[in-house]
Amino acid sequence: MSEYIISLLLVVLVSVFTVYPLFLGRRKPGVADSPEVNRLEQLYEKRDLYYSSIKDIELDRDMGKLNEQDYAELVSRYKEKAAAVTKQISELQSIS
């Protein structure tokens, strides 16, 4: 039963990551983006990628593909990266 749930979760995650970029490119016509807005979008994408990586790492651990030491090291690394990007986002938003 748990194998079915994990398989279903993987299918949903792959589907979301496949379809998400299609909606990402849609914007209101006639709206000119400033360099700050473009940079913010890049930072949000980077942050989301790090969060996605953390979820993948958790899934790998739950499936037994990673031991606890590797899991802790990888999650720590990606959390640090996500925190750094989040700080950059905050700094850029405070300027605007």
Side-chain angles (χ1 to χ4, degrees):
M1 182 69 178
S2 66
E3 294 171 349
Y4 175 76
I5 293 171
I6 291 172
S7 297
L8 182 62
L9 179 63
L10 283 172
V11 168
V12 169
L13 285 173
V14 168
S15 299
V16 168
F17 288 116
T18 304
V19 176
Y20 181 72
L22 298 175
F23 295 104
L24 192 63
R26 296 185 182 180
R27 298 184 184 186
K28 295 179 182 177
V31 176
D33 287 339
S34 66
E36 291 84 13
V37 171
N38 288 333
R39 179 68 180 142
L40 265 177
E41 287 179 0
Q42 291 172 351
L43 289 172
Y44 279 124
E45 288 176 18
K46 195 179 234 185
R47 184 200 61 189
D48 292 345
L49 178 65
Y50 291 143
Y51 287 151
S52 166
S53 296
I54 291 170
K55 288 180 183 181
D56 289 343
I57 292 166
E58 290 173 351
L59 184 61
D60 285 346
R61 180 204 52 190
D62 293 343
M63 293 176 64
K65 293 181 179 180
L66 283 175
N67 61 38
E68 286 299 318
Q69 182 180 358
D70 291 341
Y71 164 78
E73 181 181 318
L74 288 169
V75 166
S76 175
R77 184 180 314 152
Y78 280 103
K79 282 184 178 180
E80 287 176 13
K81 290 180 179 186
V85 171
T86 301
K87 182 179 178 185
Q88 290 176 352
I89 290 170
S90 296
E91 291 170 354
L92 193 56
Q93 287 177 332
S94 68
I95 293 172
S96 299

